[in-house]
Amino acid sequence: MTTNIFEEATAISAEILNPFIHKLELTTYDKIKVVVMTVTVLPIRLLLMLILLSSAWFLAVVGLFGISKEDMKSKPMSGWRRYYLKPFICSVLRLMFLLGGWHWITIKGKQASAKEAPIITLAPHSSVFDVLPVILLGGPSVVAKAETEQTPFFGKLINYTQPVYVRRNDPMSRQNTIKEIRKRAESDDDWEQIVIFPEGTCTNRQCLISFKPGAFYPGVPVQPVCIRYPNKLDTMTWTWEGPGALKLLWLTLCQFRSYCEIEYLPVYKPNEIEKRNPRLFAQNVKLCMAQALGVPVSYYTFDDLKFIKWNGDNKIPQTPALVKLVKYRHQHGLKFTDIGIEVKKLQLKLKDENRICTLQEFSHFLESSSSDTLRDIFDVMDQANEGKIDVRIYIACLLMLDFNTSILERADQAFKMFCSRDDLIDLQSFCSFAWLMLGLTKTAATSVFHKLDPEHKGTVSFNVCSLLFQKNLNYICLNPIFNIKYPPTPKRRKTNQINVQTIRY
């Protein structure tokens, strides 16, 4: 019975596995097609694409001749370089993709001007082929790693967009990048739009991971742009674990045709609160994009990967709050052997303080200075996006990291944190507990609760829940279910009617 309940719950919650993993399985037909295309069409496509890429590179070299790096940084490009040569380079690159099999590109909506939206946010970022949407945007400025400047062919093409380079070996790189973005966004000069992939890394497009706040620090309007690759065989997705870039390029060029959809959403104008809080601004833009894409959102970032693995290796549920807490403890050098003492101390304090607290109160409760990781923990636990959390969830997380007891005993202790009387918990507390332990959304946890409470008493005991958790904790430790929220329909602005344009070559 409990297994069926769990299967139903995960079906309702549209369980999301690790978004940094992409599994590509070829059918017999796919394999035959790849073999035939490899010896017939692929060599011709590669030759023609290389010729066009070389031509675009040569044109970029011509366009950059006579311009110093200082000039490229200090003022926007103008004259024939911008209004004639740049569109021509984009046309050459579009033709390159056409010859590579990109015959059908669907464009929804309309691109805003640089004055309306100085910044464009593209998501989800999932592929090396995401350069195609940038080309279709007209080759605006990009934010890129400084190392890409030396990349053969692509280095000159990227330089031609007057990019904002991120130098990771520079401790001031983040501040300098934000300063440069803000300078261009607020400048009266005719700078082109800046394109940013706010996720900062590639995922499998099953959800939107945390947006980095860099694009949102200037507090200027942004235009969200959604990317889709509605192909039957997904040879586009390039993630941390899965097929490599060269294999994906080979398989993609062996397809008869490839599809891409680009959707321009209405310009998002931040309110005064969002201007003062870039993280909130980023979160709200992410919710709007997730709503348009029809996918859940996750609080994970690429930096969380090693902590996800650490949780799995140590048989700890790989749920968002626990992963973020492990990350916090590692970064602050906190030992896992002292958790029992920490829990007792916090439980004593909990009697005297209100268990519902803001970020500042939470930081004071832990006697810790505020940090990005602590805020990440707070944001993850703030499931209702109200700016407040229940401290019991944090203490329950700590209990799950106490290695002196078995995982089921830890679950029992965490369960008791939510008990109001007679070792029973109500629906609201059960939803928090099931989310912490199994990564279930509120909808999925509610469904499980009603199955476990057939007499509709409104409460359940740990004995009733234990079999469910015992059967599935091992699963959840080895196969991460990510923190997913289904974004509400945005109420703060009306969506304009979207124009749809299909480009058929």
Side-chain angles (χ1 to χ4, degrees):
M1 174 184 172
T2 52
T3 301
N4 292 334
I5 293 174
F6 181 76
E7 290 175 353
E8 180 180 347
T10 51
I12 295 173
S13 65
E15 156 186 303
I16 292 208
L17 297 179
N18 194 326
F20 304 111
I21 293 177
H22 174 53
K23 295 180 180 180
L24 181 61
E25 297 181 0
L26 301 179
T27 64
T28 302
Y29 168 75
D30 292 326
K31 293 176 181 178
I32 294 173
K33 181 174 66 175
V34 167
V35 170
V36 173
M37 294 285 284
T38 298
V39 298
T40 55
V41 177
L42 179 61
I44 299 173
R45 278 184 172 177
L46 278 177
L47 177 62
L48 294 176
M49 290 178 71
L50 184 59
I51 291 173
L52 289 170
L53 180 60
S54 301
S55 301
W57 170 83
F58 177 75
L59 292 172
V61 171
V62 171
L64 291 171
F65 183 76
I67 302 181
S68 65
K69 289 186 177 181
E70 289 70 24
D71 289 338
M72 292 290 286
K73 291 180 181 179
S74 61
K75 58 184 178 181
M77 195 179 291
S78 60
W80 61 271
R81 289 182 171 89
R82 176 170 177 176
Y83 299 109
Y84 294 99
L85 186 58
K86 192 172 189 177
F88 185 64
I89 292 175
C90 288
S91 298
V92 172
L93 293 174
R94 286 190 193 187
L95 180 59
M96 180 186 74
F97 274 95
L98 164 64
L99 296 176
W102 298 85
H103 298 157
W104 201 295
I105 302 171
T106 301
I107 298 178
K108 300 179 180 180
K110 183 179 179 182
Q111 182 178 354
S113 67
K115 295 299 181 184
E116 294 173 305
I119 296 174
I120 294 176
T121 57
L122 282 170
H125 186 21
S126 64
S127 174
V128 293
F129 299 106
D130 285 343
V131 67
L132 175 58
V134 176
I135 293 170
L136 293 173
L137 287 166
S141 298
V142 298
V143 177
K145 295 183 294 184
E147 294 80 5
T148 58
E149 189 175 8
Q150 307 302 324
T151 306
F153 290 109
F154 297 104
K156 291 294 183 183
L157 292 170
I158 292 173
N159 278 344
Y160 203 74
T161 70
Q162 294 188 280
V164 177
Y165 279 124
V166 179
R167 305 187 184 279
R168 296 186 175 181
N169 58 347
D170 181 2
M172 296 298 293
S173 176
R174 179 180 177 185
Q175 290 80 358
N176 292 337
T177 301
I178 293 170
K179 188 185 299 183
E180 180 64 23
I181 293 173
R182 179 180 283 120
K183 185 188 79 172
R184 293 195 190 186
E186 297 175 349
S187 173
D188 292 330
D189 294 332
D190 190 22
W191 284 100
E192 295 212 46
Q193 289 168 299
I194 298 175
V195 170
I196 297 177
F197 291 91
E199 291 176 295
T201 190
C202 290
T203 70
N204 57 21
R205 294 195 303 278
Q206 293 185 32
C207 66
L208 290 183
I209 64 172
S210 290
F211 280 11
K212 295 185 176 182
F216 308 96
Y217 272 104
V220 298
V222 303
Q223 182 172 32
V225 178
C226 300
I227 307 172
R228 301 180 182 89
Y229 296 108
N231 299 290
K232 184 177 180 180
L233 181 64
D234 185 4
T235 60
M236 309 293 172
T237 301
W238 182 38
T239 57
W240 180 72
E241 185 175 323
L246 290 178
K247 181 178 180 179
L248 292 173
L249 175 63
W250 166 50
L251 293 175
T252 300
L253 295 181
C254 288
Q255 305 305 308
F256 295 125
R257 63 171 60 179
S258 299
Y259 295 86
C260 177
E261 291 183 2
I262 301 171
E263 181 178 355
Y264 298 99
L265 300 184
V267 173
Y268 191 107
K269 298 179 180 179
N271 56 36
E272 291 303 318
I273 297 176
E274 291 169 328
K275 288 179 181 179
R276 295 192 299 268
N277 188 346
R279 294 172 67 98
L280 177 64
F281 187 7
Q283 172 70 4
N284 288 341
V285 171
K286 181 174 73 168
L287 290 174
C288 284
M289 298 186 75
Q291 178 69 27
L293 289 162
V295 299
V297 299
S298 168
Y299 277 112
Y300 280 120
T301 66
F302 184 75
D303 296 334
D304 295 326
L305 265 175
K306 61 182 178 181
F307 301 103
I308 295 170
K309 185 178 184 303
W310 191 91
N311 277 34
D313 292 342
N314 289 277
K315 301 296 185 291
I316 301 172
Q318 295 167 297
T319 50
L322 290 170
V323 169
K324 295 290 186 181
L325 182 54
V326 166
K327 180 180 180 180
Y328 174 77
R329 297 187 71 83
H330 272 279
Q331 289 182 345
H332 289 77
L334 299 174
K335 297 180 180 179
F336 289 84
T337 54
D338 302 331
I339 284 180
I341 299 174
E342 286 184 54
V343 169
K344 289 180 180 178
K345 181 180 176 182
L346 293 177
Q347 286 175 328
L348 288 174
K349 292 182 66 175
L350 190 61
K351 296 178 181 179
D352 302 321
E353 299 192 25
N354 193 332
R355 62 181 176 83
I356 306 298
C357 61
T358 62
L359 175 61
Q360 185 176 358
E361 293 167 342
F362 180 55
S363 178
H364 177 70
F365 181 78
L366 298 181
E367 299 178 2
S368 172
S369 59
S370 183
S371 65
D372 287 345
T373 311
L374 185 63
R375 182 167 190 120
D376 282 344
I377 295 173
F378 184 90
D379 288 344
V380 167
M381 294 182 180
D382 181 18
Q383 284 285 286
N385 289 320
E386 295 176 344
K388 295 179 290 185
I389 66 167
D390 188 334
V391 177
R392 294 179 302 175
I393 298 178
Y394 178 81
I395 298 177
C397 285
L398 277 179
L399 287 166
M400 290 303 299
L401 301 182
D402 187 357
F403 299 128
N404 294 321
T405 57
S406 70
I407 191 167
L408 197 59
E409 289 175 317
R410 287 180 245 165
D412 185 18
Q413 292 299 315
F415 183 91
K416 289 177 180 176
M417 282 302 307
F418 300 95
C419 294
S420 55
R421 58 181 177 81
D422 302 326
D423 289 339
L424 300 173
I425 60 174
D426 58 17
L427 173 59
Q428 182 177 353
S429 296
F430 179 82
C431 288
S432 297
F433 182 65
W435 166 77
L436 166 64
M437 298 295 297
L438 301 175
L440 297 185
T441 61
K442 187 173 183 179
T443 301
T446 300
S447 173
V448 172
F449 182 86
H450 291 317
K451 294 288 185 180
L452 297 175
D453 181 30
E455 298 179 5
H456 305 291
K457 294 180 179 179
T459 57
V460 294
S461 68
F462 185 75
N463 288 336
V464 173
C465 303
S466 61
L467 187 57
L468 170 71
F469 293 117
Q470 190 172 10
K471 282 180 175 293
N472 297 293
L473 275 174
N474 285 335
Y475 170 81
I476 211 67
C477 288
L478 300 176
N479 299 277
I481 291 183
F482 277 68
N483 169 37
I484 55 178
K485 290 185 182 180
Y486 287 90
T489 303
K491 298 180 180 179
R492 66 192 306 275
R493 55 176 51 78
K494 294 182 179 179
T495 302
N496 299 329
Q497 185 174 0
I498 295 178
N499 299 319
V500 180
Q501 175 189 1
T502 300
I503 303 176
R504 301 180 182 85
Y505 292 101

